[in-house]
Amino acid sequence: MESHHQRGERRLLPPPNVAPWLVFPHGKDSKFQTFYNICDDPMNKIYKKCKPELSKRRFWQKPSHQGWLIVVCDDDVETKFNFGNCFLWNPVSLDTIMLPNLLHGLNSTNFDEYYVKEAVLSSPPQSSHNGGGGSICDDSMVYILLQGCEKPDILFYCHPGEKEWRKHEFVNITESLRSMLVTNGKLFIMCVSGFYLEIAIRQGSDIDDDETLSISEFMWIDDNVEPESVAAGLDCRVQQYWMESFGFVYRIERCYIPRGAYQNCVTRIIISKLDFFAMAWEEVKSLDDYVFFLGNRTQLSCLASELGFSKGCVYYTQDWEMSLYRYDLEDRSILLSLPCPELPTPWDTPEWLMITTTPRFDNKITADHVSEKDKHMDKVVKAMENIAVAPKDGQKEDVEEVRPWTMLQDDMIRSISYKKHHSILSLRRSSSTWTTPDLSPWMVFPKYDRSVCSFINSVHNNENYLMNIPELFKGSRIRFSKGGWLLISKGNTLFFYNPFTRSSIELPELPDEHRYDFSGISFSSMPTSSDCVVFGISKQMGYNVHTFYIKRGDEHWTNVFFHGVYWLPHRKPMEFEADFNSPVFFREAFYCLDINGTLGVSNLEHDISWEILITATRPNCEFIYKSFLVECEGKLLSVFLGRSGKWVRIFRLDDTDKVWVEVKHLGRYMLFISNTSCISAIARTSQMENKVYFPRLHNKGILYYSLDTGMYHCFGSGHCAKDYRDSEENLNCSWIEPNWSEISDKSLHWLRVPG
């Protein structure tokens, strides 16, 4: 039997840490909790506990709590005997301060008419209580916001240790009250429609007089930062959070896609700071030393310098997921991990919990805490002498013919500088261009809003190089690549850019009424060729397929609508819904694959046409989560993925019968797939053939799927780093974004290096 000491140790929570813990409730009635700390050593960062204070209860925690939790029992399924109970709880000292029952404050036995929306503690209690004993704690105040069902919202408030709630009904407020925070000794209730309430405690003239609320209403000027359209038909929605961090008030807008397979996929996080003098929100481009943690009921902040973390990151979770996400505000990149892959079932959505004894002062961050800008970047990207780029034989005349597409020579480009001091890859520099004996694609990762691109060699130990790019390219997005050229968009403008010859070709602007909202775009041949055509496709409202194209020499884009409904053999109507992937120029036509695996083709030989190859029906496999097209050895291949990459299947288009035929082996070939480019190449070694490479990194190695083993592997450091069996749980481990559902501009891209 366990000793008394062992049982006591089991009850104790993990030791305090400056970073929040992620708490996963699991088991019947959420009786057990698994604690995960992102700072600890990987071998010791998971703890399984049984805390009655957290079982079948919800809790709230904000920066002003300084480690205390507000715990509410509002689930009457199995805990009816303590329904409506609430208390303060300190996870380090295990002290409990009982609060008045919420039902007593409502004077009702029916709690169904109200919902606990928010709870916040103005400051930590200054005196110790156990089970509700002791005196009232000086200035600390507990606020609980109840949202009414067709009734006015109610704010409950009291000092810890008091026996009754005081309350205020917002009878004159018609807007939805969303979030509460405390800063500078005042309570702020944030609303969606452009205003907030500022609430202060007003003491009566006599010491025995009750405290009352002084409520002021303020409007703010919004900066109108709109979520970007990722692709046609995939517009974003916004989930808002408000939080106080070291004396500042922030609004965090998490942009996500609500549609189909991309549901809840976060495309961008926008952070704004409230300027109390101008009464306006100002978008924040950098968080400096701050690190934010977002949960449904807890929003916390820490300093990266205390954590040993990269600055300017937002950690968050999503409903009914075990995954942990980290968003880098400056790079717009996301790290996805699965911290507790063997979590017992049933489990519930995790929540953040701060376990700390370190006092936190409600003041602005000091200069000592602010990290300097990325020193590593400055060291790696070194300015080298500009190299005059002389055209190859016959190239000069071809370049001069580019107009009316404008050719620009980029004098701002610098040569790639090594991120490693040694290199297996022989990257040679000539008077005309870079040359390499290896024609395998490279991975390109642009640093958003920086004039830097990262290039990763997919063959030679994943060597990483950085390149300066023109300042005017900052904030742009790579949309497609072919033959060493990148097709890039910025605002309403598209242009070609070749990082190896340092040349740019600008395209005419899209029509004023059309922003860039293509689900896929590509070009037929090199931009310097006289027969180059750029083709884009999108799915608009209704049943139409919208196509855009521009040919070399044209001054304007041409856009044409086509009917997008087709009939299956059993006479069921289907709608062609273009997936977020690149069309493939194959046999003088552009082929497009929709989310159901249906193939459409557009021919521009004489006049543009559109045909849906209905006989090329969807393969008989499970629900298709992602689809890609790629040309390989003169054949058109489709690559289909299950959700979270649970399965990978490859099909070849039969030219005669126009049906998909499954491919079990790629022979000497290997495929490199992404949303913006899909490339096939002959493997240099037998170890690389018959594999599909993804634009994802795991442990600094490139993730690939082997058709020989039916498993995922990690190609890095010259060997297979880790195997991943064909299951969704294992596939979600520690990838650098984009994950399987990510489709925003932070995606990694494949680029074929010209020989």
Side-chain angles (χ1 to χ4, degrees):
M1 296 181 63
E2 286 184 311
S3 67
H4 177 74
H5 174 73
Q6 288 175 321
R7 290 195 298 270
E9 287 294 317
R10 190 176 63 177
R11 271 188 54 82
L12 289 177
L13 287 174
N17 198 298
V18 292
W21 293 75
L22 198 57
V23 182
F24 292 86
H26 55 83
K28 184 180 179 181
D29 300 332
S30 301
K31 181 179 180 180
F32 301 97
Q33 302 86 31
T34 293
F35 292 80
Y36 169 82
N37 187 272
I38 55 180
C39 290
D40 280 356
D41 183 271
M43 301 301 295
N44 302 309
K45 63 186 177 184
I46 296 177
Y47 303 83
K48 292 184 179 180
K49 300 290 181 180
C50 176
K51 302 304 299 178
E53 293 86 354
L54 301 180
S55 298
K56 207 62 177 181
R57 294 175 174 90
R58 296 194 297 157
F59 65 87
W60 284 260
Q61 194 176 38
K62 303 293 178 66
S64 59
H65 296 196
Q66 297 190 28
W68 285 82
L69 276 64
I70 301 177
V71 185
V72 176
C73 178
D74 59 354
D75 193 323
D76 61 350
V77 177
E78 298 290 344
T79 55
K80 200 174 186 66
F81 63 94
N82 60 4
F83 181 55
N85 282 356
C86 50
F87 54 90
L88 301 180
W89 184 60
N90 190 310
V92 176
S93 66
L94 302 182
D95 284 346
T96 299
I97 303 176
M98 294 303 300
L99 299 172
N101 190 287
L102 291 175
L103 286 179
H104 300 162
L106 286 171
N107 296 321
S108 171
T109 57
N110 185 9
F111 202 44
D112 295 337
E113 298 176 346
Y114 290 91
Y115 173 80
V116 179
K117 179 68 176 179
E118 265 275 51
V120 65
L121 179 64
S122 64
S123 59
Q126 298 302 310
S127 59
S128 179
H129 291 254
N130 257 319
S135 60
I136 295 175
C137 299
D138 42 77
D139 293 331
S140 181
M141 187 71 74
V142 182
Y143 300 96
I144 297 182
L145 179 64
L146 272 67
Q147 197 168 63
C149 179
E150 299 182 355
K151 290 189 176 184
D153 293 351
I154 299 177
L155 178 66
F156 282 1
Y157 61 101
C158 75
H159 292 287
E162 290 185 322
K163 301 301 182 182
E164 294 183 0
W165 290 104
R166 281 162 283 173
K167 63 181 180 181
H168 175 84
E169 294 190 15
F170 296 99
V171 292
N172 297 322
I173 303 296
T174 58
E175 303 296 336
S176 175
L177 308 181
R178 295 293 300 274
S179 181
M180 296 195 300
L181 56 92
V182 174
T183 184
N184 298 321
K186 296 180 179 180
L187 172 69
F188 292 83
I189 302 182
M190 316 305 290
C191 308
V192 179
S193 55
F195 75 95
Y196 68 88
L197 304 179
E198 182 179 302
I199 301 176
I201 297 295
R202 182 171 55 196
Q203 182 66 51
S205 57
D206 192 288
I207 192 171
D208 295 328
D209 290 347
D210 287 339
E211 294 169 318
T212 57
L213 301 182
S214 173
I215 302 177
S216 303
E217 183 177 324
F218 294 93
M219 295 288 295
W220 65 61
I221 302 173
D222 209 324
D223 52 9
N224 293 320
V225 178
E226 295 291 337
E228 299 164 306
S229 175
V230 177
L234 294 180
D235 291 334
C236 293
R237 293 181 184 174
V238 177
Q239 183 175 1
Q240 292 182 323
Y241 305 84
W242 290 269
M243 68 178 300
E244 175 270 336
S245 178
F246 296 93
F248 296 111
V249 175
Y250 291 90
R251 180 183 65 192
I252 302 103
E253 297 175 290
R254 193 169 66 173
C255 307
Y256 67 96
I257 296 174
R259 171 179 178 263
Y262 302 110
Q263 189 170 6
N264 299 327
C265 164
V266 173
T267 63
R268 185 187 175 192
I269 291 181
I270 304 170
I271 300 180
S272 305
K273 183 169 63 177
L274 182 59
D275 185 334
F276 284 97
F277 295 100
M279 292 304 299
W281 292 102
E282 297 179 351
E283 186 178 1
V284 175
K285 299 294 185 180
S286 173
L287 285 178
D288 292 322
D289 199 33
Y290 297 128
V291 181
F292 289 169
F293 300 86
L294 300 182
N296 287 332
R297 298 180 301 278
T298 59
Q299 293 86 48
L300 303 170
S301 66
C302 292
L303 298 175
S305 55
E306 291 182 351
L307 304 176
F309 282 1
S310 300
K311 61 184 178 61
C313 293
V314 180
Y315 289 83
Y316 66 92
T317 59
Q318 301 203 118
D319 289 341
W320 306 112
E321 285 190 20
M322 291 190 291
S323 302
L324 171 62
Y325 299 84
R326 188 190 76 185
Y327 183 90
D328 188 308
L329 187 64
E330 294 187 18
D331 285 349
R332 295 192 180 185
S333 60
I334 298 178
L335 175 73
L336 167 66
S337 62
L338 191 69
C340 303
E342 298 179 358
L343 199 66
T345 57
W347 53 267
D348 204 347
T349 304
E351 193 59 87
W352 295 103
L353 185 151
M354 180 71 82
I355 307 174
T356 179
T357 56
T358 304
R360 178 189 180 280
F361 299 99
D362 188 18
N363 56 6
K364 290 181 173 60
I365 188 170
T366 62
D368 293 338
H369 287 132
V370 179
S371 298
E372 297 180 18
K373 293 298 180 181
D374 198 345
K375 294 180 180 179
H376 179 69
M377 184 69 69
D378 295 336
K379 292 179 181 178
V380 174
V381 185
K382 298 179 179 178
M384 300 178 66
E385 69 277 11
N386 287 328
I387 303 171
V389 181
K392 294 181 179 180
D393 295 340
Q395 186 184 35
K396 181 176 181 181
E397 292 73 20
D398 191 35
V399 170
E400 291 177 346
E401 294 176 359
V402 169
R403 288 180 173 83
W405 292 0
T406 307
M407 171 68 79
L408 305 173
Q409 284 297 333
D410 171 26
D411 295 330
M412 303 175 65
I413 300 300
R414 311 286 178 168
S415 298
I416 287 181
S417 62
Y418 286 103
K419 193 170 183 179
K420 294 184 178 180
H421 295 290
H422 63 279
S423 174
I424 297 177
L425 173 63
S426 176
L427 184 63
R428 299 192 299 270
R429 187 178 62 198
S430 69
S431 60
S432 59
T433 184
W434 297 329
T435 60
T436 173
D438 184 4
L439 298 182
S440 298
W442 284 22
M443 186 183 289
V444 182
F445 183 22
K447 300 287 186 179
Y448 185 84
D449 212 23
R450 295 185 191 174
S451 34
V452 172
C453 257
S454 178
F455 290 78
I456 301 174
N457 188 346
S458 61
V459 176
H460 291 283
N461 288 345
N462 297 324
E463 289 176 329
N464 198 323
Y465 306 87
L466 293 177
M467 172 194 284
N468 281 329
I469 59 177
E471 190 75 13
L472 65 92
F473 292 173
K474 287 172 58 176
S476 61
R477 298 169 185 81
I478 296 176
R479 301 296 186 177
F480 182 70
S481 70
K482 186 175 185 177
W485 285 88
L486 300 172
L487 181 58
I488 301 175
S489 73
K490 185 175 183 179
N492 211 37
T493 302
L494 283 163
F495 55 90
F496 296 102
Y497 176 65
N498 191 317
F500 306 101
T501 62
R502 302 179 295 173
S503 301
S504 298
I505 301 177
E506 189 175 350
L507 294 170
E509 285 194 358
L510 292 166
D512 293 337
E513 66 274 15
H514 296 288
R515 58 179 178 173
Y516 185 95
D517 60 357
F518 302 124
S519 55
I521 193 169
S522 65
F523 52 90
S524 60
S525 55
M526 297 304 98
T528 53
S529 302
S530 59
D531 60 349
C532 181
V533 179
V534 181
F535 173 85
I537 184 172
S538 65
K539 175 66 175 67
Q540 302 294 333
M541 298 299 293
Y543 302 103
N544 293 325
V545 172
H546 197 185
T547 60
F548 278 75
Y549 70 92
I550 186 169
K551 298 180 179 180
R552 172 83 176 274
D554 290 350
E555 296 183 0
H556 304 285
W557 289 81
T558 300
N559 62 93
V560 183
F561 287 92
F562 292 100
H563 191 57
V565 175
Y566 59 96
W567 295 84
L568 295 179
H570 53 279
R571 305 304 296 167
K572 179 182 178 181
M574 292 288 290
E575 184 178 345
F576 190 91
E577 299 185 64
D579 200 356
F580 187 70
N581 54 30
S582 301
V584 171
F585 187 71
F586 178 71
R587 297 183 180 176
E588 306 304 318
F590 287 95
Y591 285 77
C592 309
L593 198 63
D594 85 340
I595 61 176
N596 297 309
T598 300
L599 194 63
V601 58
S602 180
N603 196 312
L604 283 73
E605 186 174 0
H606 303 292
D607 195 6
I608 186 169
S609 63
W610 173 256
E611 180 185 4
I612 297 176
L613 304 179
I614 57 174
T615 53
T617 55
R618 191 182 77 156
N620 184 24
C621 54
E622 301 176 42
F623 173 75
I624 297 175
Y625 186 65
K626 280 296 300 175
S627 58
F628 304 90
L629 273 181
V630 58
E631 181 183 358
C632 180
E633 202 176 16
K635 301 293 183 180
L636 196 61
L637 302 183
S638 60
V639 182
F640 298 119
L641 306 182
R643 183 173 180 82
S644 297
K646 188 175 181 179
W647 50 264
V648 178
R649 297 181 69 178
I650 302 175
F651 296 84
R652 172 180 55 82
L653 181 65
D654 185 292
D655 295 331
T656 304
D657 298 328
K658 293 295 186 294
V659 295
W660 291 117
V661 179
E662 186 158 11
V663 175
K664 297 294 186 179
H665 202 283
L666 294 172
R668 297 182 300 157
Y669 281 85
M670 51 185 179
L671 304 181
F672 299 81
I673 64 172
S674 70
N675 293 322
T676 54
S677 59
C678 294
I679 301 170
S680 64
I682 296 178
R684 297 177 63 251
T685 65
S686 60
Q687 288 78 13
M688 297 185 66
E689 65 186 23
N690 201 33
K691 294 175 176 60
V692 181
Y693 292 83
F694 298 94
R696 293 160 181 84
L697 302 178
H698 176 78
N699 292 335
K700 299 182 180 180
I702 295 177
L703 193 74
Y704 68 86
Y705 179 85
S706 170
L707 273 72
D708 291 324
T709 64
M711 296 165 59
Y712 287 86
H713 306 261
C714 182
F715 184 83
S717 303
H719 64 276
C720 175
K722 188 172 182 179
D723 292 346
Y724 290 92
R725 298 200 174 273
D726 211 1
S727 67
E728 180 175 351
E729 290 77 11
N730 289 331
L731 287 173
N732 279 334
C733 295
S734 301
W735 292 352
I736 289 181
E737 203 41 53
N739 60 46
W740 294 107
S741 61
E742 183 53 65
I743 59 173
S744 68
D745 59 286
K746 65 184 71 64
S747 300
L748 301 170
H749 315 269
W750 293 112
L751 173 65
R752 188 187 293 276
V753 179

